[in-house]
Amino acid sequence: MEGGMENASLELDDIQAGALFERPSPYVGTYLLLRIADRADGRELVRRLHRLAIPASGAGSADDTSITVAFTYRGLEALGVPQTSLDSFAPEFKQGMAARAEILGDTGESGPDHWEKPLGTAEVHVAVAVLSSDEATLQAVAERARDAHAELPGVDLIWRQDCYQLATGRTSFGFKDGIGQPAVEGSGRPPSNPRERPLRAGEIILGYPDETGELPPMPTPPELGRNGTYVVFRKLHTKVAAYRSYLRDRATTRAERDLLAAKMVGRWQSGAPLAVSPDADDPELGSDPRRNNDFLYADDPSGFKCPVGAHARRANPRDALDGEGSVDVRLHRMVRRGTSYGPMLPDGVTEDDGVDRGIIFVFAGAHLKRQFEFVKTQWLNDGIFIGAPLESDPLVGPHHDSTRFTIARRPIRRRLQDLPPFVITRGGEYCFAPGLSALRWLADLDT
Amino acid sequence: MGGRGGAATQPGIRVGPTSEFSLFFRVKAGQAQPLRAALLALQDTPGYRPGDYGMAIQTIHEARFVLFDDDTRLAFITSFDGPWDAYMEDFFTSGPTLALFDVIFGHVEGYDGLPDVAAVRAFVLGAEQTAAAYARNYGGTVKEIRTAQRVNAAFQQVLDHPEAAEALQHPALQPLLDEAAV
Ligand code: HEM
């Protein structure tokens, strides 16, 4: 186990920081989407962004600012990446998220027809995330990022989304998020869950062996693929008022409501895991990074502490499925970099105020299909794996057909019926975040 | 017949939560006898023993190996819960399937053995044939069926209690009473 950590030598100088490390909280940020109308200007943009991008080896201090740069398939095409190289990318990346909508459960209100423009269109080429510890620094750096495309008439800013993370780490439904993350071999960061062996680096970063012992399919040439990672971003609107009303109508006391809410997530609002603190919130536990991810589920197969259908348990069942012989949970992990957008709905309000608020969900990993798409389709949208095909994720499932949620409880289980959708997809895209030298390779293309 | 939403991309037909999955191989020359012996030995392992219902892969409904065409061909036919495409990598990297592969598939053509996962994957994909027709006579996943059996056993135990008829009089128990006569 320890040996693996030493053997793997991740090229931290060449990997974009955002792929591996969370920014210190709190922060404010902006997502920018750009369209490349002119190839030469596009390459000049990449040259300038390359100077601003930050390697994983330089990450970590609270006051710095991080810029992460990623491209869609259309973006790489617009930069003039040769077709043989374009063809070497993952098929899902080539198709783009909108083309995968049916599979992902993004239909109806969440369907690409309803997406916020220009999300899901061929216009989206470059995605830039700028995160900073305070508003003033953010503005200064966003200015620099804007300068990177100003005076470049062949590059258009087509979308901008401000985001932030509260000091508490809480997002719109009131829960602390971003706790459950896999440790990555060679990253130099210890696991937040000491019971789990760090993932082979190739699960997250391209160019290294993954959990199957092989090199994951990597875009060619290696100058482009190596030290890159696939990035998924999704703008997810959260129906906070509907969520609160639903819970209010099913609970007689505040304590009961908080318990139902915690059962749906698998953690209390503070982040304290139900697996460790099943009966009451424990804010100290929730905010203690040495303890708030230190747990497994095998001692609770029926889910009396944490329901088998709770969001976090579905999204990472840890050891709960180890005895089934058909699934290797380590093949379905992901790095998450979610942030909040829109103002929080004030406490206690259960009337919809019509304001758009939610999460910019960000995934980083080497395998779009067996990581992001698998978790979304098999574990969140579908309940076959927990023996409840009719139950999708109570919090984030698409809930097209009336869905229900079963909470194991003695003497009689509790079952919530008719869960409406609480999360609506506003759009998103599959991107590729290259390594730093690959950014230079892109800037220097002469096709 | 057919799958649920989003199942269109996978090989194998789905009925409800369950997918059919069939592989057809050519037996290596001279390997028919050792293969029969290996299958006989498999039949005597936990999960495959007659009367034993605990297969190592818990999402599988049933599995059979069929030698045909004078033992020159081998079919592996099964049904399992979930789209098989999504679980392919898991099958190829997790213990029980791989163990099985090494014992049985070493006797058929095209299997070059582990640990080359990409090769194993190509080998399996090359052998897979989607059914032309597929039906099931009951719904439900293996997990649901196991639960249903457990619940029925408990119900039968309740009915065997001398005061069962009286106990089942409560209006809340009417659906159970309706099932109690036979
Ligand atoms: C608006 C939508 C979503 C909300 C509000 C949400 C909220 C949360 C919360 C509160 C947690 C528990 C805190 C933690 O462990 O970090 C969590 C965990 C997690 N979520 Fe989500 N989530 C959303 C969408 C998604 C989606 C779409 C995916 C994947 C496709 C996902 C994957 C995960 C994973 C992998 C974990 C960590 C589980 C663990 O390691 O224990 N989430 N989420």
Side-chain angles (χ1 to χ4, degrees):
Chain A
M1 258 193 237
E2 270 84 73
M5 287 284 272
E6 279 147 5
N7 293 340
S9 58
L10 267 178
E11 293 168 1
L12 297 175
D13 288 339
D14 195 46
I15 297 166
Q16 293 198 57
L20 278 177
F21 304 133
E22 187 75 270
R23 271 213 40 84
S25 187
Y27 58 73
V28 286
T30 300
Y31 294 97
L32 307 170
L33 293 181
L34 306 163
R35 186 178 82 96
I36 298 169
D38 175 84
R39 187 171 287 184
D41 280 1
R43 290 172 183 168
E44 180 55 29
L45 169 81
V46 177
R47 187 164 296 116
R48 295 179 189 184
L49 288 174
H50 168 256
R51 279 185 227 122
L52 300 175
I54 289 164
S57 55
S61 70
D63 53 324
D64 64 6
T65 295
S66 76
I67 291 197
T68 308
V69 184
F71 302 89
T72 63
Y73 179 79
R74 298 286 187 181
L76 296 177
E77 208 174 39
L79 286 170
V81 171
Q83 193 61 44
T84 47
S85 170
L86 290 172
D87 288 341
S88 66
F89 281 83
E92 302 77 29
F93 172 73
K94 285 197 264 180
Q95 289 176 39
M97 189 186 287
R100 309 286 293 170
E102 195 97 5
I103 293 164
L104 293 173
D106 288 333
T107 54
E109 214 185 336
S110 287
D113 300 352
H114 295 88
W115 285 6
E116 190 177 310
K117 295 283 166 265
L119 301 177
T121 71
E123 308 270 283
V124 180
H125 293 165
V126 188
V128 181
V130 187
L131 303 178
S132 199
S133 44
D134 62 90
E135 193 67 42
T137 322
L138 175 70
Q139 287 319 327
V141 180
E143 206 58 49
R144 267 192 280 156
R146 254 195 302 280
D147 287 349
H149 74 78
E151 313 136 31
L152 293 176
V155 176
D156 305 320
L157 175 63
I158 56 172
W159 190 73
R160 178 190 165 137
Q161 174 69 61
D162 290 335
C163 66
Y164 60 95
Q165 187 175 91
L166 296 175
T168 55
R170 297 195 184 200
T171 58
S172 56
F173 290 129
F175 285 83
K176 183 177 166 76
D177 200 350
I179 308 167
Q181 303 278 10
V184 181
E185 265 186 20
S187 69
R189 304 269 168 116
S192 60
N193 184 356
R195 298 160 204 254
E196 277 177 359
R197 200 158 34 88
L199 286 184
R200 303 294 305 273
E203 287 297 313
I204 307 298
I205 306 292
L206 294 163
Y208 304 85
D210 66 17
E211 286 288 325
T212 69
E214 318 223 330
L215 287 171
M218 185 173 85
T220 55
E223 291 86 334
L224 175 60
R226 188 166 171 79
N227 291 326
T229 186
Y230 288 105
V231 170
V232 173
F233 84 86
R234 285 162 76 73
K235 181 173 179 181
L236 300 173
H237 170 72
T238 50
K239 297 186 164 185
V240 180
Y243 162 82
R244 286 183 188 167
S245 313
Y246 181 88
L247 289 174
R248 187 199 51 201
D249 293 349
R250 279 153 188 85
T252 47
T253 62
R254 195 196 155 112
E256 187 187 2
R257 196 187 60 202
D258 290 350
L259 179 66
L260 286 182
K263 293 284 188 183
M264 282 163 74
V265 170
R267 291 181 182 269
W268 297 91
Q269 286 202 345
S270 73
L274 287 176
V276 181
S277 183
D279 301 319
D281 197 354
D282 178 350
E284 219 169 287
L285 167 64
S287 59
D288 183 349
R290 283 165 305 133
R291 292 192 296 140
N292 65 13
N293 201 36
D294 181 2
F295 65 94
L296 297 172
Y297 294 118
D299 66 328
D300 184 27
S302 304
F304 285 110
K305 291 192 283 179
C306 176
V308 295
H311 171 65
R313 183 165 173 167
R314 301 176 87 107
N316 176 15
R318 301 180 186 227
D319 59 344
L321 308 176
D322 284 1
E324 307 211 340
S326 57
V327 61
D328 178 354
V329 171
R330 298 173 64 80
L331 300 181
H332 311 292
R333 303 295 309 278
M334 64 182 72
V335 162
R336 288 177 303 136
R337 292 282 168 265
T339 60
S340 294
Y341 75 89
M344 294 293 162
L345 187 66
D347 268 349
V349 176
T350 52
E351 285 291 314
D352 185 19
D353 61 358
V355 173
D356 192 12
R357 62 171 57 83
I359 283 187
I360 306 290
F361 171 88
V362 177
F363 152 105
H367 299 271
L368 286 173
K369 187 172 178 206
R370 77 158 155 83
Q371 293 171 328
F372 171 70
E373 290 195 347
F374 180 96
V375 172
K376 175 75 174 118
T377 62
Q378 302 310 309
W379 287 349
L380 302 187
N381 294 357
D382 204 303
I384 292 175
F385 82 110
I386 50 168
L390 294 181
E391 299 190 18
S392 68
D393 188 297
L395 189 68
V396 315
H399 306 182
H400 297 311
D401 312 320
S402 113
T403 202
R404 61 188 199 201
F405 174 52
T406 306
I407 303 168
R409 183 181 64 174
R410 290 189 181 88
I412 292 178
R413 58 106 177 100
R414 173 145 195 200
R415 180 166 280 170
L416 299 180
Q417 302 282 2
D418 302 321
L419 284 132
F422 298 124
V423 174
I424 304 296
T425 308
R426 287 264 194 259
E429 200 44 272
Y430 287 166
C431 301
F432 174 69
L436 291 171
S437 53
L439 281 174
R440 213 161 38 230
W441 184 88
L442 285 167
D444 292 345
L445 278 170
D446 60 3
T447 47
Chain B
M1 234 180 293
R4 290 151 45 102
T9 56
Q10 69 190 2
I13 300 180
R14 263 174 95 168
V15 172
T18 308
S19 314
E20 56 86 18
F21 178 47
S22 310
L23 300 175
F24 296 88
F25 306 98
R26 285 177 201 289
V27 179
K28 280 183 187 156
Q31 294 290 303
Q33 273 323 306
L35 177 53
R36 273 207 180 269
L39 290 170
L40 210 61
L42 176 67
Q43 190 77 78
D44 196 35
T45 58
Y48 280 84
R49 272 184 214 120
D52 208 353
Y53 293 110
M55 292 169 68
I57 300 173
Q58 297 195 1
T59 47
I60 280 184
H61 286 257
E62 84 294 309
R64 80 195 62 177
F65 291 88
V66 184
L67 275 161
F68 63 108
D69 276 0
D70 290 331
D71 289 2
T72 60
R73 311 281 319 270
L74 172 73
F76 171 66
I77 298 169
T78 184
S79 303
F80 77 94
D81 295 326
W84 96 268
D85 184 42
Y87 284 95
M88 205 157 42
E89 246 98 8
D90 298 69
F91 282 130
F92 300 161
T93 54
S94 62
T97 323
L98 283 186
L100 196 70
F101 268 44
D102 255 10
V103 182
I104 307 297
F105 296 136
H107 301 290
V108 305
E109 288 174 10
Y111 180 63
D112 296 325
L114 297 163
D116 187 345
V117 179
V120 174
R121 182 196 169 102
F123 163 75
V124 171
L125 276 174
E128 201 271 341
Q129 295 289 341
T130 296
Y134 176 57
R136 300 188 61 75
N137 222 353
Y138 54 84
T141 62
V142 174
K143 278 187 181 165
E144 290 175 288
I145 289 158
R146 290 227 161 104
T147 305
Q149 288 178 333
R150 243 184 13 248
V151 171
N152 185 45
F155 182 53
Q156 296 306 321
Q157 216 179 319
V158 169
L159 295 186
D160 287 339
H161 193 282
E163 281 145 47
E166 191 189 330
L168 288 174
Q169 288 310 312
H170 192 282
L173 299 182
Q174 187 63 45
L176 289 180
L177 195 57
D178 291 345
E179 294 291 341
V182 288

